[in-house]
Amino acid sequence: MIVEARKAKFSEPLKLKGGATLPEFEIAYETYGELNAARSNAVLVCHALNASHHVAGTYADKPDDVGWWDNMVGPGKPLDTNRFFVVGSNYIGSCFGSTGPTSPNPATGKAWGADFPVVTVEDWVAAQARLADRLGIERFAAVMGGSIGAMQALQWSLSFPQRVRHAIVIAATPQLSAQNIAFNEVARQAIMTDPDFHGGHYYEKGVVPRRGLRIARMIGHITYLSDDAMMEKFGRLLRGKSAPGYDFNVDFEIESYLRYQGDKFADYFDANTYLRITKALDYYDPAADFGGDLAAAMARAQANFLVVSFTSDWRFASSRSRAIVKALLDNRRVLSYLEIDAPQGHDAFLMDDARYIGALRAYFGNIEL
Amino acid sequence: MIVEARKAKFSEPLKLKGGATLPEFEIAYETYGELNAARSNAVLVCHALNASHHVAGTYADKPDDVGWWDNMVGPGKPLDTNRFFVVGSNYIGSCFGSTGPTSPNPATGKAWGADFPVVTVEDWVAAQARLADRLGIERFAAVMGGSIGAMQALQWSLSFPQRVRHAIVIAATPQLSAQNIAFNEVARQAIMTDPDFHGGHYYEKGVVPRRGLRIARMIGHITYLSDDAMMEKFGRLLRGKSAPGYDFNVDFEIESYLRYQGDKFADYFDANTYLRITKALDYYDPAADFGGDLAAAMARAQANFLVVSFTSDWRFASSRSRAIVKALLDNRRVLSYLEIDAPQGHDAFLMDDARYIGALRAYFGNIEL
């Protein structure tokens, strides 16, 4: 499937939850399949930290750049683009095309940098609603995402209850735990104390806080994989040697892997974006306005729900998904819940587990258009 | 209990596992109680990353500086110094008194710094055996430790089977997992990429890689506590504010706590020591010389064992302790195993859980002198 990235520009200011206003913004997006005449077959796919609007397919001029959920979305895939009109939307604050810290600040003509406001999951969803308007989508057949993408799907069901028929919430949590916030904070501190960070104004210095980004990515990677999956994949294998070096070069395969992942990430990811995404995660807590009562918070949702969690996910453990399920049951919502016994940890939501993929295929097959 | 720190100097060179030789070394240590005439009541207490030979009591001139295991060791305590002669030993490579990177290199008269060799758990134990010789202890009634201290207790039973009657191995693992190594590697990378690290030669530059040490400590802290314990202690409480700041100052209590712990640690802990301890941990694997067969590795142990693990410890999970228990059972060794249902995570071994403390008291009470 050959796809094309697009941008939609919105000139009406967007008031953000934190109080600031974006005077204008763009959203990078892709679409696959065709919107039907009844406009009833649109599915919004929301992405997680390190992904983008490039959900599926490849670009004509970049055959190796395959979308991040290409095993899920496409012709004949579980989310079948022969039947559905799929929208992949990049969120604002990103460094992959939507307006974010690397974009020009209309007030100065220079990149926003540190002056780009902290955006929230609610703001992401509000901006995506403008995109839906632009595309002529009154109501989505489904809004879907894993991890941070699942937070967006959840929030869509709360911000725009009438506009979501099915919310598909995978590897999710209704709020970060103290441990989740702690990992985010270490990553932020690594970036912010990097001498090349310059308080976020590093673009104009011609440098990038690479050291901090490397550390942030390494920490992230550890939390995406289960202990068992890491042991299965890397174990205690030495890297190209038969005995430890008794020095500080790479000894173990896992060290080499993490350094490589960190270096690669630092080459393309923007530090100001990373900081803002982690803050959006930390802040997300739909129950906060209801005295911590998630069931009360979920009362306004009207969608049917599919909630999926993975047993080995210790970043957002199944117990967090069960809290969402409980809140939905308390509201007598129609829902399906799958707890998949998969070994890969949080990243399992991107994998090809047959039960998981099969369940998604069945669920989409049952959505009437 | 008023105690006194001592040093023992050893002039005979110590050949290290990694191939280097320490031409001479000192061990910082403390003793509590009296060695009996039969010399049968000595107990060696080994410490973990952030502790030292100051196991119990206080110094005459520093009444607030209480030993790190004072709830366990002292007159009338579970390890009763009215009955036992307790030795707290700092390991070599430490920055708390024993010879380490901050000590003068006899070849140059300047601090060893980056030239201090990588030491191993086996080396720590070999050096402690010299201390035991010096103190006239042929055989310990028990060698005891938690976490890294437990690795030393385990290794004592293997390096010197005849010299250990009881090995008390708490919150242990027989080897780090890939995830454990991964966390260590991120901490090392944070330190080694700090511009103030200077390849480990920072003493002569008059600086300290504080940024890296802060990050290393924050990561460590997360792994010492369980997700539940952190949620119980900090939850999602905001720090001195009623709403998020939508900026990058402290929002949550957990952020404040981690920053504080990181800053405090960077004030006193030596980065070269931190690097070497994490390497000692990564390398430790008594089964490695036996094709990964831990039972074969443990065949030479002759001590009786007490193994204790904690259900909420995800750094060294109970399954790791059970691997030790299995290897001991395969060798028909006398052992007790306690899996304590405690919520605190890895740090539970320092806490006052009544069943845990009571079991240790009973175990020591049953050791014949």
Side-chain angles (χ1 to χ4, degrees):
Chain A
M1 183 170 68
I2 301 297
V3 304
E4 215 176 311
R6 299 193 181 122
K7 282 194 189 186
K9 181 158 186 172
F10 302 91
S11 306
E12 200 187 325
L14 182 70
K15 180 94 162 67
L16 303 172
K17 191 179 179 190
T21 297
L22 268 189
E24 58 183 28
F25 64 96
E26 286 185 313
I27 293 185
Y29 71 100
E30 296 181 3
T31 68
Y32 323 118
E34 298 294 331
L35 189 61
N36 63 9
R39 300 184 171 187
S40 65
N41 70 334
V43 174
L44 177 67
V45 176
C46 306
H47 69 80
L49 194 147
N50 183 37
S52 73
H53 49 288
H54 185 36
V55 175
T58 55
Y59 300 125
D61 58 344
K62 289 187 197 161
D64 296 333
D65 187 358
V66 181
W68 59 271
W69 223 353
D70 193 67
N71 60 335
M72 183 68 81
V73 180
K77 304 273 174 81
L79 175 46
D80 187 350
T81 51
N82 292 328
R83 188 161 178 254
F84 290 98
F85 175 62
V86 177
V87 180
S89 166
N90 188 216
Y91 44 64
I92 54 172
S94 174
C95 51
F96 292 135
S98 295
T99 296
T102 57
S103 309
N105 178 348
T108 65
K110 293 195 298 184
W112 278 94
D115 298 327
F116 194 81
V118 170
V119 290
T120 63
V121 175
E122 291 86 340
D123 299 326
W124 292 342
V125 167
Q128 285 162 354
R130 299 257 189 108
L131 176 64
D133 294 344
R134 179 74 53 89
L135 296 173
I137 301 162
E138 172 57 29
R139 196 174 184 210
F140 282 106
V143 178
M144 174 192 198
S147 188
I148 304 176
M151 287 178 171
Q152 294 163 66
L154 193 63
Q155 187 55 39
W156 259 96
S157 78
L158 300 175
S159 293
F160 303 101
Q162 310 283 351
R163 301 188 73 170
V164 185
R165 286 166 57 209
H166 296 268
I168 302 179
V169 172
I170 305 171
T173 182
Q175 56 170 211
L176 294 200
S177 69
Q179 188 189 73
N180 294 146
I181 297 172
F183 279 121
N184 280 346
E185 171 65 2
V186 180
R188 281 192 295 264
Q189 287 293 308
I191 290 170
M192 291 167 62
T193 63
D194 185 325
D196 285 335
F197 181 63
H198 297 290
H201 296 288
Y202 47 88
Y203 312 126
E204 55 209 70
K205 305 275 183 182
V207 293
V208 168
R210 284 188 62 85
R211 303 175 198 87
L213 278 167
R214 282 179 86 238
I215 298 299
R217 183 58 167 173
M218 289 180 180
I219 294 169
H221 243 288
I222 298 174
T223 68
Y224 304 151
L225 299 179
S226 70
D227 189 14
D228 286 348
M230 221 179 232
M231 204 62 190
E232 178 73 26
K233 187 168 177 182
F234 304 104
R236 294 178 52 82
L237 282 181
L238 295 172
R239 170 88 179 167
K241 50 175 78 170
S242 57
Y246 298 101
D247 57 25
F248 297 98
N249 298 317
V250 163
D251 278 307
F252 295 95
E253 286 282 359
I254 181 66
E255 297 175 288
S256 169
Y257 174 78
L258 286 178
R259 290 188 193 186
Y260 172 77
Q261 293 292 341
D263 285 335
K264 205 172 65 167
F265 191 71
D267 283 342
Y268 69 80
F269 209 90
D270 176 61
N272 281 322
T273 286
Y274 199 90
L275 295 176
R276 279 156 184 78
I277 296 175
T278 60
K279 273 291 178 185
L281 288 179
D282 288 3
Y283 289 152
Y284 190 61
D285 187 4
D289 287 340
F290 297 84
D293 182 346
L294 186 61
M298 296 302 294
R300 65 188 190 281
Q302 304 197 5
N304 293 351
F305 280 78
L306 171 63
V307 178
V308 183
S309 72
F310 301 92
T311 49
S312 59
D313 184 353
W314 64 278
R315 178 176 168 84
F316 297 158
S318 285
S319 56
R320 317 276 189 91
S321 284
R322 279 186 238 118
I324 297 171
V325 168
K326 170 72 164 62
L328 292 167
L329 288 174
D330 286 346
N331 286 293
R332 307 173 66 92
R333 300 255 49 89
V334 176
L335 75 97
S336 302
Y337 172 50
L338 288 173
E339 186 172 326
I340 304 278
D341 184 14
Q344 300 95 341
H346 190 59
D347 270 357
F349 85 89
L350 297 166
M351 308 288 174
D352 267 333
D353 183 281
R355 294 156 300 180
Y356 163 53
I357 296 287
L360 268 290
R361 181 182 291 277
Y363 194 90
F364 280 114
N366 288 335
I367 294 179
E368 289 176 14
L369 302 186
Chain B
M1 180 169 70
I2 301 296
V3 304
E4 214 176 310
R6 298 193 182 120
K7 283 195 188 185
K9 181 158 186 173
F10 302 91
S11 307
E12 201 187 324
L14 182 70
K15 180 93 163 64
L16 302 172
K17 191 179 179 189
T21 297
L22 268 188
E24 58 183 29
F25 64 96
E26 288 186 313
I27 292 184
Y29 71 102
E30 296 182 3
T31 69
Y32 324 118
E34 298 293 332
L35 189 61
N36 63 9
R39 300 181 170 188
S40 65
N41 70 333
V43 174
L44 177 65
V45 176
C46 306
H47 68 81
L49 194 148
N50 184 36
S52 73
H53 48 289
H54 185 35
V55 175
T58 56
Y59 301 125
D61 59 342
K62 288 186 196 159
D64 295 333
D65 187 358
V66 181
W68 59 271
W69 222 354
D70 194 67
N71 61 335
M72 182 68 80
V73 180
K77 306 273 174 80
L79 174 46
D80 187 349
T81 52
N82 291 328
R83 189 162 176 255
F84 289 98
F85 175 62
V86 176
V87 180
S89 167
N90 188 216
Y91 46 62
I92 54 173
S94 174
C95 51
F96 292 136
S98 295
T99 296
T102 57
S103 309
N105 177 348
T108 65
K110 293 195 297 184
W112 279 95
D115 298 327
F116 194 81
V118 170
V119 290
T120 63
V121 175
E122 290 86 340
D123 299 327
W124 292 343
V125 167
Q128 285 162 354
R130 300 257 190 109
L131 177 65
D133 295 342
R134 180 73 53 88
L135 296 173
I137 301 163
E138 171 57 29
R139 197 175 184 209
F140 282 106
V143 178
M144 174 191 197
S147 187
I148 305 177
M151 286 178 171
Q152 294 164 68
L154 193 64
Q155 187 55 39
W156 259 96
S157 78
L158 300 175
S159 294
F160 303 102
Q162 309 284 352
R163 300 188 75 170
V164 185
R165 286 167 58 209
H166 295 268
I168 302 179
V169 172
I170 305 170
T173 183
Q175 57 169 210
L176 294 200
S177 69
Q179 188 189 73
N180 294 147
I181 296 172
F183 279 121
N184 280 346
E185 172 65 1
V186 180
R188 281 192 296 264
Q189 287 293 309
I191 290 171
M192 291 167 62
T193 62
D194 185 324
D196 285 335
F197 181 62
H198 298 289
H201 296 288
Y202 48 87
Y203 310 127
E204 55 209 70
K205 306 275 185 185
V207 294
V208 167
R210 283 188 63 86
R211 303 176 199 86
L213 279 166
R214 283 178 86 239
I215 298 298
R217 183 58 166 172
M218 289 180 180
I219 294 169
H221 243 288
I222 297 174
T223 68
Y224 304 152
L225 300 178
S226 70
D227 189 15
D228 285 350
M230 220 179 232
M231 205 61 192
E232 178 73 25
K233 188 168 178 183
F234 303 102
R236 293 180 49 86
L237 282 181
L238 296 172
R239 170 87 179 169
K241 50 176 77 168
S242 57
Y246 298 101
D247 57 25
F248 297 98
N249 298 316
V250 163
D251 278 306
F252 295 94
E253 285 283 357
I254 182 64
E255 297 174 288
S256 169
Y257 174 78
L258 285 178
R259 291 188 191 186
Y260 172 78
Q261 293 292 341
D263 286 335
K264 206 173 65 168
F265 190 71
D267 282 341
Y268 70 80
F269 208 91
D270 176 61
N272 281 322
T273 286
Y274 198 91
L275 294 177
R276 279 157 183 76
I277 297 175
T278 59
K279 272 290 177 185
L281 289 179
D282 288 2
Y283 289 153
Y284 190 60
D285 187 4
D289 288 340
F290 296 84
D293 182 347
L294 186 62
M298 296 302 294
R300 64 190 192 279
Q302 305 198 3
N304 294 349
F305 280 77
L306 172 62
V307 178
V308 183
S309 71
F310 301 93
T311 49
S312 59
D313 183 353
W314 63 279
R315 178 175 167 83
F316 297 158
S318 286
S319 57
R320 317 278 188 93
S321 285
R322 278 186 238 118
I324 297 172
V325 168
K326 170 72 165 58
L328 291 167
L329 288 174
D330 286 345
N331 286 291
R332 306 174 66 93
R333 299 255 48 90
V334 177
L335 77 97
S336 302
Y337 172 51
L338 289 173
E339 186 171 327
I340 304 279
D341 184 14
Q344 299 95 344
H346 190 59
D347 270 358
F349 84 88
L350 297 165
M351 307 289 174
D352 268 332
D353 182 280
R355 294 156 300 179
Y356 163 53
I357 295 286
L360 268 290
R361 181 183 291 278
Y363 195 90
F364 280 114
N366 288 336
I367 293 179
E368 290 177 14
L369 303 186

